Amino acid sequence: MRISFLLHNAFGIGGTIRTTFNLAQALAERHEVEIISILRHREEPNFSLDPRVRVRALVDLRTERDDPRHRRPPKVFPAAEYRFDQYSALTDERIANCLAGLDSDVVIGTRPGLNVHLALQGPRHAVLVGQEHLTLDNHPPGLRNELRRVYPRLDALTTVTHADADAYRRKMRLPGVRVEALPNSVPPPALPPADSSAKIVVAAGRLVRVKRYDLLIRSFARVAAERPDWQLRIYGRGEEREKLRALINELGLYNNVFLMGPAPAMEAEWVKGSIGASTSSFEPFGMTLVEAMRCGLPVVSTDCPHGPGEIITPGKDGRLVPVGDQHALSEALLDLIQNDELRRTMSEAALANSRRFDPVPIIEQAEALFTELHEAKASGRRAKPPLRVRVGARLVNRGHLVRDAAFAAAVSTMRTMRRGNR
């Protein structure tokens, strides 16, 4: 198949870019794959990419930023989408022309605004797939209304969590649209895993308000008071850097907490630590959680919507604490810091449990979905949605149950309880 991805800016840094690159280069093993970057601001992408994946940009900001069309607001890209200010009449024109000329079998949008373009202008011969890397509940009402209007023109919609897929099925009227959970994948690290001996807690991500690094730093003040031999290293860049630096100085943590800046290869930094930490108030998935676990780090995370609860098994490979609870966060960190055996046990579990996010099973799921939809469209029919069974509050594809140990365990427990009640 010929597969095309529409990506906001393939030359930036972010989780959507990284996961799109991972999926594209895995599919390139058997398919012809390209990434269409709407914007471009530098010569080469920040992330490495398999040379078999073609990358082309529609608007080069280095030479076209002052184009008069780029100063006029877009008419197709939805105004309620938070990237709206970066789009224009020029991007409207280039995206429309690009989609009109595509001969791809599958075209995949990677954010709501691009999914709107895809639904309205995508080639009708192709399978049109919208990806959601945020969550339905996080979209403003105006955007949800726009998506409700145009998403029925898509063939499929994928979300990164089962919880968000359930939200789309319950709250949006999308007749005939396949809604599937397709988690982000993380390749196995090239380095040996952490050995749990380093006295380092590692966190990574954009230094922005929603990540609540201020909470993490304040929580670590207690850790440093009880265990001054431990460090907290925070990787990333963003608008909160100076505020966080001031907080570190205010709390006298300059010998324990370090803002490390961005790291192009985070796995080399994860393996230097023994515990991963995430304090977000909102996390659509939680790529850094999986990355840390794949490097052998148990993770202490806030139990924010939606990702952490589907990644971490509390007490087995990490800890989940209430959002914003500084005391609970300190307690969870100290619990792992002060118990070497527990930390080693959780490290082993983190390595084992995180393998479900390996690209192989996730790529197989994506490839099966795209192939089924392509064959159905070629024959003039819609692909039937898979049979789902309810596990707790979630609807899960019966064929995927065996891939998820948590769901399989839940089903086993329910069956045992039913037998006991007979």
Side-chain angles (χ1 to χ4, degrees):
M1 292 185 293
R2 294 184 299 276
I3 302 172
S4 297
F5 290 86
L6 299 181
L7 190 59
H8 169 66
N9 189 338
F11 300 84
I13 295 176
T16 299
I17 301 169
R18 191 159 69 249
T19 57
T20 300
F21 277 31
N22 287 346
L23 179 56
Q25 53 198 12
L27 290 170
E29 294 282 344
R30 293 181 292 277
H31 306 282
E32 184 180 329
V33 182
E34 70 168 347
I35 293 175
I36 301 167
S37 180
I38 310 306
L39 302 176
R40 178 179 192 165
H41 68 287
R42 55 178 292 167
E43 185 63 28
E44 297 293 337
N46 282 288
F47 300 123
S48 60
L49 185 64
D50 191 308
R52 289 174 294 184
V53 179
R54 178 190 177 197
V55 178
R56 59 182 171 117
L58 302 185
V59 175
D60 193 330
L61 297 176
R62 297 172 298 175
T63 58
E64 297 183 289
R65 190 182 297 274
D66 294 328
D67 188 302
R69 291 167 294 176
H70 198 51
R71 298 174 186 171
R72 300 198 302 270
K75 293 183 178 180
V76 179
F77 197 90
E81 227 263 38
Y82 87 94
R83 293 282 189 185
F84 176 78
D85 290 342
Q86 298 179 44
Y87 285 74
S88 64
L90 180 60
T91 58
D92 270 1
E93 177 184 315
R94 296 283 172 82
I95 295 171
N97 290 341
C98 171
L99 291 173
L102 276 184
D103 62 353
S104 303
D105 300 304
V106 181
V107 187
I108 304 163
T110 56
R111 62 176 309 107
L114 297 180
N115 295 341
V116 169
H117 273 281
L118 187 60
L120 296 175
Q121 302 168 328
R124 293 299 119 184
H125 68 270
V127 172
L128 307 180
V129 180
Q131 286 185 344
E132 283 284 358
H133 290 272
L134 293 175
T135 67
L136 176 61
D137 292 340
N138 193 52
H139 294 328
L143 181 57
R144 289 201 297 269
N145 289 337
E146 177 69 3
L147 302 185
R148 188 175 287 110
R149 182 178 71 86
V150 304
Y151 270 13
R153 302 188 184 199
L154 297 173
D155 295 292
L157 179 70
T158 67
T159 64
V160 292
T161 64
H162 292 283
D164 199 37
D166 285 348
Y168 271 95
R169 296 186 193 108
R170 287 185 288 106
K171 299 179 181 181
M172 303 282 277
R173 293 185 177 180
L174 304 175
V177 179
R178 284 278 291 273
V179 180
E180 301 291 337
L182 186 67
N184 293 330
S185 66
V186 176
L191 301 173
D195 62 8
S196 299
S197 64
K199 298 177 179 181
I200 298 170
V201 176
V202 181
R206 293 176 298 122
L207 305 185
V208 293
R209 186 180 180 85
V210 72
K211 299 295 185 180
R212 291 304 312 273
Y213 289 119
D214 60 319
L215 178 72
L216 179 57
I217 292 169
R218 291 184 187 280
S219 298
F220 204 79
R222 180 181 166 196
V223 173
E226 297 190 24
R227 293 296 301 266
D229 51 336
W230 275 72
Q231 294 181 0
L232 168 63
R233 297 181 181 179
I234 301 174
Y235 291 85
R237 62 187 174 202
E239 61 200 42
E240 294 277 300
R241 181 179 177 83
E242 293 309 312
K243 289 182 180 179
L244 298 176
R245 168 60 58 199
L247 179 60
I248 291 169
N249 291 334
E250 175 190 333
L251 298 175
L253 295 174
Y254 30 79
N255 290 325
N256 295 94
V257 180
F258 302 93
L259 301 179
M260 306 295 291
M266 255 315 290
E267 65 183 44
E269 308 307 324
W270 289 121
V271 298
K272 295 175 184 176
S274 290
I275 302 170
S278 175
T279 47
S280 298
S281 56
F282 168 75
E283 198 69 69
F285 178 67
M287 279 287 287
T288 59
L289 302 179
V290 180
E291 290 174 353
M293 292 168 69
R294 296 226 70 178
C295 290
L297 272 64
V299 179
V300 175
S301 172
T302 47
D303 191 14
C304 61
H306 285 284
E310 293 192 14
I311 295 172
I312 297 170
T313 305
K316 299 294 185 181
D317 51 26
R319 292 274 195 266
L320 290 173
V321 301
V323 174
D325 193 329
Q326 180 178 320
H327 176 74
L329 184 60
S330 298
E331 287 285 326
L333 288 170
L334 284 168
D335 186 35
L336 286 173
I337 286 171
Q338 294 173 344
N339 191 327
D340 294 346
E341 183 58 33
L342 176 64
R343 200 165 63 249
R344 281 193 292 270
T345 300
M346 282 195 172
S347 172
E348 293 172 359
L351 270 176
N353 294 347
S354 62
R355 291 192 186 107
R356 69 188 188 277
F357 297 103
D358 188 85
V360 173
I362 292 172
I363 297 308
E364 288 176 349
Q365 181 184 346
E367 191 173 37
L369 174 64
F370 300 158
T371 300
E372 184 179 351
L373 291 168
H374 174 59
E375 292 175 350
K377 179 158 264 192
S379 66
R381 58 181 175 84
R382 276 192 182 271
K384 292 182 179 180
L387 179 64
R388 295 187 176 92
V389 296
R390 185 165 291 280
V391 179
R394 296 174 181 158
L395 285 172
V396 185
N397 294 356
R398 175 178 283 178
H400 296 163
L401 280 174
V402 295
R403 296 180 183 172
D404 192 319
F407 289 147
V411 170
S412 176
T413 300
M414 289 183 349
R415 287 174 176 167
T416 300
M417 292 173 63
R418 286 172 183 165
R419 283 195 295 268
N421 290 332
R422 288 176 183 171

